[in-house]
Amino acid sequence: TKSECKANEDISDSLKPFNVIMIGGSGSVGKELVNKCIASDKCESIHLLNRKEIPSFTNQEKVQQYIVDMSQLESETDKILNNIKDDKSFPSVAYITMGIGAPSKTDEETLEKVDVTLPTEFAKAVNNHKISHIALLSSVGADITKKKNWLGTSAGGGLYLHLKGQIEHNLSTMGFKSVGLFRPSTLYGSPNTPGAAATLAPLIEWALPKKYTGIQISDLGAAMFQHTLDCLSKYSDDDDENKRVDILEGDNLFKYIPKKEAASK
């Protein structure tokens, strides 16, 4: 069942503080999202699963980093959650912001592993521990029906969009209380966005559907966090009904950027 969370910048004070578990915190969007969590009194702790330590978060009181074997991600995630299951920092929110910065330079097997296999393993583990909300950094144009084409592994190519659609499908059918599928277009402020794309995109966006409008990575992090607050405020811990899957693109994405945080391109 798909339904839409309505944007609400003034989340009720009655919303209980929550904890987060996350993969992909080393990427440009992931770092922005972690910083939003750190800055908010609604988020009490962030459990980051990484290949290696992220120096910028080493001394952050809210952040606990775990160096994990990505080839065993499901079991590693399960072990971490078992170790903190009785702790007040046990998470109710999961974020997936991992990806390959320059997909055109990788091979098909690696792209599928990073975009589908690893996120699916992580999601299975957190779902087994009854985590309520999960949000995924996907891409504009994600579509499981897309076929491989001459663009190979490039962003926007058939294979790339198929894999993004596949992981969206996987998360949407696991039974989480709420799922946020974020489909941004051009990422302004990301070191992985080609300079030509960052320059050209703003010049042609006016002629394209809104879903192709680019977004600052800081705004995307803010929108992912705001959507989480909004979804968590819509259900209680013992409510197993009204499961929702939200596709966040175009206006449905931009409405979650708090106005005071909206950045210029």
Side-chain angles (χ1 to χ4, degrees), residues 69-120:
D69 178 0
M70 287 292 174
S71 68
Q72 303 292 328
L73 184 56
E74 185 173 353
S75 61
E76 294 263 279
T77 304
D78 181 67
K79 181 170 63 176
I80 289 167
L81 289 170
N82 276 326
N83 287 340
I84 60 173
K85 64 182 179 180
D86 297 321
D87 192 270
K88 66 177 184 179
S89 71
F90 191 84
S92 59
V93 171
Y95 291 133
I96 300 172
T97 55
M98 73 184 307
I100 294 178
S104 63
K105 298 179 181 179
T106 193
D107 58 80
E108 294 180 10
E109 182 180 357
T110 302
L111 185 64
E112 182 172 5
K113 179 180 179 181
V114 174
D115 279 4
V116 179
T117 306
L118 293 178
T120 299

mmCIF file of all heavy atoms in Angstrom, residues 69-120:
data_model
loop_
_atom_site.group_PDB
_atom_site.id
_atom_site.type_symbol
_atom_site.label_atom_id
_atom_site.label_comp_id
_atom_site.label_asym_id
_atom_site.label_seq_id
_atom_site.Cartn_x
_atom_site.Cartn_y
_atom_site.Cartn_z
ATOM 1 N N ASP A 69 32.744 -6.299 8.201
ATOM 2 C CA ASP A 69 33.094 -7.042 6.999
ATOM 3 C C ASP A 69 31.879 -6.994 6.078
ATOM 4 O O ASP A 69 30.871 -7.651 6.338
ATOM 5 C CB ASP A 69 33.462 -8.485 7.373
ATOM 6 C CG ASP A 69 33.788 -9.333 6.161
ATOM 7 O OD1 ASP A 69 33.734 -8.823 5.023
ATOM 8 O OD2 ASP A 69 34.086 -10.533 6.352
ATOM 9 N N MET A 70 31.978 -6.217 5.005
ATOM 10 C CA MET A 70 30.831 -6.024 4.128
ATOM 11 C C MET A 70 30.400 -7.316 3.426
ATOM 12 O O MET A 70 29.259 -7.437 2.991
ATOM 13 C CB MET A 70 31.117 -4.937 3.091
ATOM 14 C CG MET A 70 31.115 -3.536 3.668
ATOM 15 S SD MET A 70 29.445 -3.025 4.195
ATOM 16 C CE MET A 70 29.806 -1.440 4.977
ATOM 17 N N SER A 71 31.292 -8.272 3.342
ATOM 18 C CA SER A 71 30.912 -9.554 2.724
ATOM 19 C C SER A 71 30.022 -10.378 3.643
ATOM 20 O O SER A 71 29.439 -11.382 3.219
ATOM 21 C CB SER A 71 32.163 -10.353 2.351
ATOM 22 O OG SER A 71 32.856 -10.798 3.510
ATOM 23 N N GLN A 72 29.928 -9.954 4.909
ATOM 24 C CA GLN A 72 29.071 -10.626 5.891
ATOM 25 C C GLN A 72 28.110 -9.602 6.521
ATOM 26 O O GLN A 72 27.860 -9.666 7.730
ATOM 27 C CB GLN A 72 29.935 -11.274 6.983
ATOM 28 C CG GLN A 72 30.962 -12.251 6.477
ATOM 29 C CD GLN A 72 30.331 -13.505 5.897
ATOM 30 O OE1 GLN A 72 29.286 -13.948 6.345
ATOM 31 N NE2 GLN A 72 30.964 -14.070 4.880
ATOM 32 N N LEU A 73 27.596 -8.694 5.714
ATOM 33 C CA LEU A 73 26.881 -7.550 6.268
ATOM 34 C C LEU A 73 25.623 -7.941 7.036
ATOM 35 O O LEU A 73 25.340 -7.370 8.098
ATOM 36 C CB LEU A 73 26.519 -6.561 5.153
ATOM 37 C CG LEU A 73 25.842 -5.263 5.606
ATOM 38 C CD1 LEU A 73 26.676 -4.527 6.638
ATOM 39 C CD2 LEU A 73 25.549 -4.363 4.405
ATOM 40 N N GLU A 74 24.868 -8.912 6.541
ATOM 41 C CA GLU A 74 23.637 -9.300 7.238
ATOM 42 C C GLU A 74 23.944 -9.843 8.630
ATOM 43 O O GLU A 74 23.330 -9.434 9.629
ATOM 44 C CB GLU A 74 22.851 -10.323 6.429
ATOM 45 C CG GLU A 74 21.503 -10.662 7.062
ATOM 46 C CD GLU A 74 20.643 -11.551 6.187
ATOM 47 O OE1 GLU A 74 21.017 -11.818 5.024
ATOM 48 O OE2 GLU A 74 19.565 -11.983 6.667
ATOM 49 N N SER A 75 24.905 -10.737 8.730
ATOM 50 C CA SER A 75 25.236 -11.320 10.031
ATOM 51 C C SER A 75 25.928 -10.301 10.938
ATOM 52 O O SER A 75 25.712 -10.300 12.154
ATOM 53 C CB SER A 75 26.123 -12.555 9.855
ATOM 54 O OG SER A 75 27.345 -12.233 9.220
ATOM 55 N N GLU A 76 26.737 -9.426 10.366
ATOM 56 C CA GLU A 76 27.406 -8.392 11.156
ATOM 57 C C GLU A 76 26.380 -7.410 11.735
ATOM 58 O O GLU A 76 26.480 -7.013 12.899
ATOM 59 C CB GLU A 76 28.413 -7.629 10.286
ATOM 60 C CG GLU A 76 29.575 -8.457 9.819
ATOM 61 C CD GLU A 76 30.798 -8.287 10.696
ATOM 62 O OE1 GLU A 76 31.537 -7.305 10.540
ATOM 63 O OE2 GLU A 76 31.016 -9.164 11.554
ATOM 64 N N THR A 77 25.412 -7.040 10.915
ATOM 65 C CA THR A 77 24.351 -6.142 11.393
ATOM 66 C C THR A 77 23.535 -6.811 12.485
ATOM 67 O O THR A 77 23.214 -6.196 13.510
ATOM 68 C CB THR A 77 23.427 -5.727 10.229
ATOM 69 O OG1 THR A 77 24.208 -5.131 9.186
ATOM 70 C CG2 THR A 77 22.372 -4.739 10.694
ATOM 71 N N ASP A 78 23.208 -8.069 12.266
ATOM 72 C CA ASP A 78 22.446 -8.824 13.255
ATOM 73 C C ASP A 78 23.196 -8.912 14.579
ATOM 74 O O ASP A 78 22.608 -8.743 15.655
ATOM 75 C CB ASP A 78 22.172 -10.231 12.712
ATOM 76 C CG ASP A 78 21.354 -11.076 13.679
ATOM 77 O OD1 ASP A 78 20.176 -10.761 13.905
ATOM 78 O OD2 ASP A 78 21.915 -12.051 14.225
ATOM 79 N N LYS A 79 24.496 -9.140 14.517
ATOM 80 C CA LYS A 79 25.311 -9.236 15.728
ATOM 81 C C LYS A 79 25.331 -7.914 16.489
ATOM 82 O O LYS A 79 25.181 -7.888 17.726
ATOM 83 C CB LYS A 79 26.739 -9.645 15.360
ATOM 84 C CG LYS A 79 27.673 -9.798 16.547
ATOM 85 C CD LYS A 79 28.989 -10.444 16.127
ATOM 86 C CE LYS A 79 29.752 -9.575 15.140
ATOM 87 N NZ LYS A 79 31.074 -10.159 14.799
ATOM 88 N N ILE A 80 25.478 -6.816 15.780
ATOM 89 C CA ILE A 80 25.490 -5.497 16.419
ATOM 90 C C ILE A 80 24.153 -5.227 17.099
ATOM 91 O O ILE A 80 24.099 -4.767 18.244
ATOM 92 C CB ILE A 80 25.807 -4.403 15.373
ATOM 93 C CG1 ILE A 80 27.272 -4.504 14.937
ATOM 94 C CG2 ILE A 80 25.503 -3.011 15.937
ATOM 95 C CD1 ILE A 80 27.595 -3.697 13.701
ATOM 96 N N LEU A 81 23.074 -5.531 16.408
ATOM 97 C CA LEU A 81 21.746 -5.273 16.984
ATOM 98 C C LEU A 81 21.477 -6.187 18.186
ATOM 99 O O LEU A 81 20.844 -5.762 19.155
ATOM 100 C CB LEU A 81 20.673 -5.439 15.907
ATOM 101 C CG LEU A 81 20.667 -4.331 14.845
ATOM 102 C CD1 LEU A 81 19.740 -4.688 13.693
ATOM 103 C CD2 LEU A 81 20.252 -2.998 15.450
ATOM 104 N N ASN A 82 21.939 -7.407 18.120
ATOM 105 C CA ASN A 82 21.791 -8.295 19.277
ATOM 106 C C ASN A 82 22.557 -7.768 20.488
ATOM 107 O O ASN A 82 22.088 -7.865 21.628
ATOM 108 C CB ASN A 82 22.290 -9.702 18.937
ATOM 109 C CG ASN A 82 21.241 -10.542 18.244
ATOM 110 O OD1 ASN A 82 20.051 -10.405 18.524
ATOM 111 N ND2 ASN A 82 21.676 -11.402 17.336
ATOM 112 N N ASN A 83 23.715 -7.180 20.241
ATOM 113 C CA ASN A 83 24.543 -6.665 21.333
ATOM 114 C C ASN A 83 23.939 -5.447 22.016
ATOM 115 O O ASN A 83 24.264 -5.153 23.176
ATOM 116 C CB ASN A 83 25.944 -6.331 20.819
ATOM 117 C CG ASN A 83 26.776 -7.563 20.524
ATOM 118 O OD1 ASN A 83 26.476 -8.654 21.019
ATOM 119 N ND2 ASN A 83 27.809 -7.411 19.716
ATOM 120 N N ILE A 84 23.074 -4.715 21.309
ATOM 121 C CA ILE A 84 22.490 -3.502 21.901
ATOM 122 C C ILE A 84 20.976 -3.627 22.086
ATOM 123 O O ILE A 84 20.301 -2.634 22.343
ATOM 124 C CB ILE A 84 22.804 -2.251 21.043
ATOM 125 C CG1 ILE A 84 22.232 -2.400 19.625
ATOM 126 C CG2 ILE A 84 24.308 -1.983 21.004
ATOM 127 C CD1 ILE A 84 22.367 -1.139 18.779
ATOM 128 N N LYS A 85 20.455 -4.842 21.983
ATOM 129 C CA LYS A 85 19.007 -5.010 22.003
ATOM 130 C C LYS A 85 18.364 -4.556 23.309
ATOM 131 O O LYS A 85 17.189 -4.181 23.328
ATOM 132 C CB LYS A 85 18.622 -6.460 21.704
ATOM 133 C CG LYS A 85 19.099 -7.471 22.732
ATOM 134 C CD LYS A 85 18.711 -8.888 22.308
ATOM 135 C CE LYS A 85 19.190 -9.929 23.290
ATOM 136 N NZ LYS A 85 18.829 -11.303 22.879
ATOM 137 N N ASP A 86 19.118 -4.587 24.388
ATOM 138 C CA ASP A 86 18.573 -4.153 25.670
ATOM 139 C C ASP A 86 19.061 -2.762 26.066
ATOM 140 O O ASP A 86 18.822 -2.305 27.184
ATOM 141 C CB ASP A 86 18.959 -5.155 26.771
ATOM 142 C CG ASP A 86 18.361 -6.529 26.527
ATOM 143 O OD1 ASP A 86 17.206 -6.583 26.070
ATOM 144 O OD2 ASP A 86 19.054 -7.534 26.786
ATOM 145 N N ASP A 87 19.717 -2.090 25.122
ATOM 146 C CA ASP A 87 20.282 -0.768 25.397
ATOM 147 C C ASP A 87 19.287 0.314 24.991
ATOM 148 O O ASP A 87 18.491 0.131 24.065
ATOM 149 C CB ASP A 87 21.587 -0.605 24.615
ATOM 150 C CG ASP A 87 22.392 0.596 25.061
ATOM 151 O OD1 ASP A 87 22.185 1.690 24.500
ATOM 152 O OD2 ASP A 87 23.216 0.434 25.965
ATOM 153 N N LYS A 88 19.354 1.444 25.663
ATOM 154 C CA LYS A 88 18.446 2.549 25.329
ATOM 155 C C LYS A 88 18.744 3.143 23.959
ATOM 156 O O LYS A 88 17.928 3.892 23.413
ATOM 157 C CB LYS A 88 18.521 3.640 26.396
ATOM 158 C CG LYS A 88 19.857 4.353 26.473
ATOM 159 C CD LYS A 88 19.811 5.463 27.516
ATOM 160 C CE LYS A 88 21.122 6.245 27.543
ATOM 161 N NZ LYS A 88 21.080 7.347 28.535
ATOM 162 N N SER A 89 19.912 2.786 23.392
ATOM 163 C CA SER A 89 20.274 3.304 22.076
ATOM 164 C C SER A 89 19.816 2.398 20.939
ATOM 165 O O SER A 89 20.175 2.633 19.777
ATOM 166 C CB SER A 89 21.794 3.504 21.983
ATOM 167 O OG SER A 89 22.466 2.247 21.932
ATOM 168 N N PHE A 90 19.003 1.375 21.239
ATOM 169 C CA PHE A 90 18.541 0.474 20.183
ATOM 170 C C PHE A 90 17.745 1.271 19.144
ATOM 171 O O PHE A 90 16.846 2.034 19.492
ATOM 172 C CB PHE A 90 17.679 -0.653 20.743
ATOM 173 C CG PHE A 90 17.400 -1.734 19.733
ATOM 174 C CD1 PHE A 90 18.311 -2.754 19.528
ATOM 175 C CD2 PHE A 90 16.241 -1.707 18.969
ATOM 176 C CE1 PHE A 90 18.069 -3.749 18.591
ATOM 177 C CE2 PHE A 90 15.991 -2.694 18.023
ATOM 178 C CZ PHE A 90 16.915 -3.720 17.840
ATOM 179 N N PRO A 91 18.052 1.098 17.861
ATOM 180 C CA PRO A 91 17.441 1.960 16.845
ATOM 181 C C PRO A 91 16.032 1.558 16.426
ATOM 182 O O PRO A 91 15.647 0.395 16.495
ATOM 183 C CB PRO A 91 18.407 1.811 15.655
ATOM 184 C CG PRO A 91 18.976 0.436 15.825
ATOM 185 C CD PRO A 91 19.084 0.209 17.303
ATOM 186 N N SER A 92 15.279 2.557 15.982
ATOM 187 C CA SER A 92 13.973 2.319 15.355
ATOM 188 C C SER A 92 13.969 2.817 13.918
ATOM 189 O O SER A 92 12.979 2.663 13.205
ATOM 190 C CB SER A 92 12.867 3.028 16.141
ATOM 191 O OG SER A 92 13.103 4.420 16.198
ATOM 192 N N VAL A 93 15.092 3.409 13.492
ATOM 193 C CA VAL A 93 15.223 3.987 12.151
ATOM 194 C C VAL A 93 16.484 3.450 11.488
ATOM 195 O O VAL A 93 17.533 3.355 12.125
ATOM 196 C CB VAL A 93 15.291 5.525 12.225
ATOM 197 C CG1 VAL A 93 15.654 6.126 10.867
ATOM 198 C CG2 VAL A 93 13.974 6.095 12.723
ATOM 199 N N ALA A 94 16.378 3.104 10.194
ATOM 200 C CA ALA A 94 17.534 2.656 9.417
ATOM 201 C C ALA A 94 17.663 3.509 8.161
ATOM 202 O O ALA A 94 16.659 3.830 7.510
ATOM 203 C CB ALA A 94 17.387 1.193 9.039
ATOM 204 N N TYR A 95 18.890 3.862 7.841
ATOM 205 C CA TYR A 95 19.173 4.635 6.628
ATOM 206 C C TYR A 95 20.161 3.881 5.752
ATOM 207 O O TYR A 95 21.137 3.296 6.250
ATOM 208 C CB TYR A 95 19.790 5.989 6.969
ATOM 209 C CG TYR A 95 18.874 6.979 7.646
ATOM 210 C CD1 TYR A 95 19.296 7.680 8.771
ATOM 211 C CD2 TYR A 95 17.588 7.243 7.158
ATOM 212 C CE1 TYR A 95 18.476 8.613 9.396
ATOM 213 C CE2 TYR A 95 16.758 8.161 7.777
ATOM 214 C CZ TYR A 95 17.212 8.843 8.890
ATOM 215 O OH TYR A 95 16.392 9.765 9.510
ATOM 216 N N ILE A 96 19.908 3.939 4.442
ATOM 217 C CA ILE A 96 20.821 3.380 3.454
ATOM 218 C C ILE A 96 21.169 4.492 2.466
ATOM 219 O O ILE A 96 20.330 4.904 1.669
ATOM 220 C CB ILE A 96 20.194 2.198 2.693
ATOM 221 C CG1 ILE A 96 19.804 1.076 3.660
ATOM 222 C CG2 ILE A 96 21.142 1.684 1.630
ATOM 223 C CD1 ILE A 96 19.000 -0.051 3.008
ATOM 224 N N THR A 97 22.411 4.965 2.539
ATOM 225 C CA THR A 97 22.847 6.014 1.612
ATOM 226 C C THR A 97 24.105 5.580 0.861
ATOM 227 O O THR A 97 24.808 6.414 0.297
ATOM 228 C CB THR A 97 23.117 7.339 2.354
ATOM 229 O OG1 THR A 97 24.067 7.111 3.399
ATOM 230 C CG2 THR A 97 21.838 7.896 2.957
ATOM 231 N N MET A 98 24.385 4.297 0.851
ATOM 232 C CA MET A 98 25.585 3.818 0.182
ATOM 233 C C MET A 98 25.372 3.758 -1.324
ATOM 234 O O MET A 98 24.239 3.647 -1.818
ATOM 235 C CB MET A 98 26.006 2.446 0.720
ATOM 236 C CG MET A 98 25.142 1.292 0.304
ATOM 237 S SD MET A 98 25.677 -0.264 1.090
ATOM 238 C CE MET A 98 27.415 -0.322 0.679
ATOM 239 N N GLY A 99 26.450 3.859 -2.049
ATOM 240 C CA GLY A 99 26.399 3.788 -3.502
ATOM 241 C C GLY A 99 27.789 3.966 -4.063
ATOM 242 O O GLY A 99 28.759 4.178 -3.329
ATOM 243 N N ILE A 100 27.907 3.884 -5.375
ATOM 244 C CA ILE A 100 29.178 4.073 -6.056
ATOM 245 C C ILE A 100 29.195 5.470 -6.654
ATOM 246 O O ILE A 100 28.317 5.824 -7.446
ATOM 247 C CB ILE A 100 29.397 3.002 -7.136
ATOM 248 C CG1 ILE A 100 29.543 1.632 -6.473
ATOM 249 C CG2 ILE A 100 30.619 3.322 -7.996
ATOM 250 C CD1 ILE A 100 29.724 0.491 -7.445
ATOM 251 N N GLY A 101 30.185 6.267 -6.273
ATOM 252 C CA GLY A 101 30.233 7.658 -6.707
ATOM 253 C C GLY A 101 30.333 7.827 -8.208
ATOM 254 O O GLY A 101 29.717 8.720 -8.784
ATOM 255 N N ALA A 102 31.111 6.962 -8.866
ATOM 256 C CA ALA A 102 31.284 7.043 -10.320
ATOM 257 C C ALA A 102 30.950 5.679 -10.918
ATOM 258 O O ALA A 102 31.851 4.901 -11.259
ATOM 259 C CB ALA A 102 32.711 7.452 -10.663
ATOM 260 N N PRO A 103 29.663 5.361 -11.049
ATOM 261 C CA PRO A 103 29.282 4.018 -11.497
ATOM 262 C C PRO A 103 29.792 3.648 -12.887
ATOM 263 O O PRO A 103 29.998 2.468 -13.176
ATOM 264 C CB PRO A 103 27.747 4.059 -11.454
ATOM 265 C CG PRO A 103 27.391 5.503 -11.479
ATOM 266 C CD PRO A 103 28.498 6.204 -10.774
ATOM 267 N N SER A 104 30.027 4.635 -13.734
ATOM 268 C CA SER A 104 30.498 4.331 -15.091
ATOM 269 C C SER A 104 31.886 3.701 -15.082
ATOM 270 O O SER A 104 32.300 3.066 -16.055
ATOM 271 C CB SER A 104 30.527 5.604 -15.939
ATOM 272 O OG SER A 104 31.440 6.547 -15.406
ATOM 273 N N LYS A 105 32.618 3.861 -13.972
ATOM 274 C CA LYS A 105 33.981 3.346 -13.881
ATOM 275 C C LYS A 105 34.059 1.982 -13.203
ATOM 276 O O LYS A 105 35.152 1.481 -12.945
ATOM 277 C CB LYS A 105 34.859 4.351 -13.132
ATOM 278 C CG LYS A 105 34.973 5.693 -13.835
ATOM 279 C CD LYS A 105 35.831 6.662 -13.051
ATOM 280 C CE LYS A 105 35.926 8.014 -13.753
ATOM 281 N NZ LYS A 105 36.752 8.979 -12.986
ATOM 282 N N THR A 106 32.909 1.398 -12.882
ATOM 283 C CA THR A 106 32.916 0.099 -12.210
ATOM 284 C C THR A 106 32.330 -0.963 -13.126
ATOM 285 O O THR A 106 31.851 -0.676 -14.227
ATOM 286 C CB THR A 106 32.137 0.170 -10.885
ATOM 287 O OG1 THR A 106 32.417 -0.998 -10.117
ATOM 288 C CG2 THR A 106 30.621 0.247 -11.122
ATOM 289 N N ASP A 107 32.357 -2.207 -12.679
ATOM 290 C CA ASP A 107 31.795 -3.301 -13.474
ATOM 291 C C ASP A 107 30.403 -3.652 -12.981
ATOM 292 O O ASP A 107 29.981 -3.227 -11.899
ATOM 293 C CB ASP A 107 32.705 -4.533 -13.413
ATOM 294 C CG ASP A 107 32.938 -5.016 -11.990
ATOM 295 O OD1 ASP A 107 32.053 -5.701 -11.436
ATOM 296 O OD2 ASP A 107 33.996 -4.685 -11.420
ATOM 297 N N GLU A 108 29.683 -4.431 -13.765
ATOM 298 C CA GLU A 108 28.294 -4.754 -13.459
ATOM 299 C C GLU A 108 28.158 -5.501 -12.139
ATOM 300 O O GLU A 108 27.234 -5.246 -11.360
ATOM 301 C CB GLU A 108 27.680 -5.576 -14.600
ATOM 302 C CG GLU A 108 27.556 -4.812 -15.904
ATOM 303 C CD GLU A 108 26.951 -5.649 -17.008
ATOM 304 O OE1 GLU A 108 26.456 -6.769 -16.704
ATOM 305 O OE2 GLU A 108 26.953 -5.202 -18.169
ATOM 306 N N GLU A 109 29.054 -6.426 -11.881
ATOM 307 C CA GLU A 109 28.975 -7.226 -10.652
ATOM 308 C C GLU A 109 29.123 -6.353 -9.409
ATOM 309 O O GLU A 109 28.373 -6.491 -8.438
ATOM 310 C CB GLU A 109 30.057 -8.309 -10.664
ATOM 311 C CG GLU A 109 30.021 -9.211 -9.441
ATOM 312 C CD GLU A 109 31.100 -10.283 -9.477
ATOM 313 O OE1 GLU A 109 31.837 -10.365 -10.483
ATOM 314 O OE2 GLU A 109 31.211 -11.039 -8.495
ATOM 315 N N THR A 110 30.078 -5.433 -9.447
ATOM 316 C CA THR A 110 30.289 -4.550 -8.301
ATOM 317 C C THR A 110 29.116 -3.603 -8.117
ATOM 318 O O THR A 110 28.678 -3.350 -6.984
ATOM 319 C CB THR A 110 31.585 -3.735 -8.486
ATOM 320 O OG1 THR A 110 32.686 -4.632 -8.640
ATOM 321 C CG2 THR A 110 31.836 -2.823 -7.289
ATOM 322 N N LEU A 111 28.600 -3.076 -9.219
ATOM 323 C CA LEU A 111 27.459 -2.174 -9.131
ATOM 324 C C LEU A 111 26.263 -2.872 -8.493
ATOM 325 O O LEU A 111 25.602 -2.309 -7.612
ATOM 326 C CB LEU A 111 27.086 -1.657 -10.524
ATOM 327 C CG LEU A 111 25.969 -0.609 -10.560
ATOM 328 C CD1 LEU A 111 26.380 0.669 -9.843
ATOM 329 C CD2 LEU A 111 25.580 -0.290 -12.013
ATOM 330 N N GLU A 112 25.989 -4.104 -8.898
ATOM 331 C CA GLU A 112 24.861 -4.834 -8.323
ATOM 332 C C GLU A 112 25.087 -5.134 -6.839
ATOM 333 O O GLU A 112 24.159 -5.052 -6.031
ATOM 334 C CB GLU A 112 24.628 -6.142 -9.080
ATOM 335 C CG GLU A 112 23.433 -6.927 -8.552
ATOM 336 C CD GLU A 112 23.074 -8.117 -9.411
ATOM 337 O OE1 GLU A 112 23.795 -8.411 -10.385
ATOM 338 O OE2 GLU A 112 22.035 -8.765 -9.103
ATOM 339 N N LYS A 113 26.330 -5.447 -6.488
ATOM 340 C CA LYS A 113 26.634 -5.745 -5.086
ATOM 341 C C LYS A 113 26.375 -4.525 -4.208
ATOM 342 O O LYS A 113 25.742 -4.636 -3.139
ATOM 343 C CB LYS A 113 28.086 -6.186 -4.953
ATOM 344 C CG LYS A 113 28.508 -6.490 -3.514
ATOM 345 C CD LYS A 113 29.960 -6.935 -3.447
ATOM 346 C CE LYS A 113 30.374 -7.216 -2.015
ATOM 347 N NZ LYS A 113 31.801 -7.625 -1.919
ATOM 348 N N VAL A 114 26.850 -3.361 -4.635
ATOM 349 C CA VAL A 114 26.731 -2.146 -3.825
ATOM 350 C C VAL A 114 25.316 -1.586 -3.837
ATOM 351 O O VAL A 114 24.832 -1.103 -2.816
ATOM 352 C CB VAL A 114 27.743 -1.084 -4.308
ATOM 353 C CG1 VAL A 114 27.529 0.241 -3.584
ATOM 354 C CG2 VAL A 114 29.164 -1.575 -4.088
ATOM 355 N N ASP A 115 24.652 -1.649 -4.981
ATOM 356 C CA ASP A 115 23.331 -1.026 -5.094
ATOM 357 C C ASP A 115 22.184 -1.933 -4.673
ATOM 358 O O ASP A 115 21.106 -1.434 -4.333
ATOM 359 C CB ASP A 115 23.093 -0.555 -6.536
ATOM 360 C CG ASP A 115 23.747 0.781 -6.831
ATOM 361 O OD1 ASP A 115 24.443 1.305 -5.942
ATOM 362 O OD2 ASP A 115 23.568 1.314 -7.951
ATOM 363 N N VAL A 116 22.395 -3.250 -4.699
ATOM 364 C CA VAL A 116 21.284 -4.160 -4.381
ATOM 365 C C VAL A 116 21.639 -5.159 -3.278
ATOM 366 O O VAL A 116 20.958 -5.227 -2.253
ATOM 367 C CB VAL A 116 20.811 -4.931 -5.633
ATOM 368 C CG1 VAL A 116 19.662 -5.882 -5.266
ATOM 369 C CG2 VAL A 116 20.366 -3.968 -6.727
ATOM 370 N N THR A 117 22.706 -5.936 -3.469
ATOM 371 C CA THR A 117 22.995 -7.039 -2.556
ATOM 372 C C THR A 117 23.240 -6.567 -1.125
ATOM 373 O O THR A 117 22.596 -7.051 -0.173
ATOM 374 C CB THR A 117 24.198 -7.850 -3.056
ATOM 375 O OG1 THR A 117 23.964 -8.273 -4.405
ATOM 376 C CG2 THR A 117 24.418 -9.066 -2.169
ATOM 377 N N LEU A 118 24.167 -5.634 -0.948
ATOM 378 C CA LEU A 118 24.500 -5.177 0.406
ATOM 379 C C LEU A 118 23.330 -4.449 1.080
ATOM 380 O O LEU A 118 23.010 -4.746 2.240
ATOM 381 C CB LEU A 118 25.748 -4.298 0.382
ATOM 382 C CG LEU A 118 27.051 -5.022 -0.008
ATOM 383 C CD1 LEU A 118 28.220 -4.030 -0.055
ATOM 384 C CD2 LEU A 118 27.358 -6.152 0.956
ATOM 385 N N PRO A 119 22.665 -3.507 0.395
ATOM 386 C CA PRO A 119 21.509 -2.872 1.044
ATOM 387 C C PRO A 119 20.411 -3.861 1.413
ATOM 388 O O PRO A 119 19.758 -3.706 2.445
ATOM 389 C CB PRO A 119 21.018 -1.875 -0.021
ATOM 390 C CG PRO A 119 22.218 -1.568 -0.842
ATOM 391 C CD PRO A 119 22.988 -2.861 -0.892
ATOM 392 N N THR A 120 20.205 -4.885 0.576
ATOM 393 C CA THR A 120 19.185 -5.886 0.886
ATOM 394 C C THR A 120 19.562 -6.681 2.129
ATOM 395 O O THR A 120 18.714 -6.949 3.000
ATOM 396 C CB THR A 120 18.975 -6.831 -0.309
ATOM 397 O OG1 THR A 120 18.537 -6.075 -1.447
ATOM 398 C CG2 THR A 120 17.930 -7.893 0.018
#
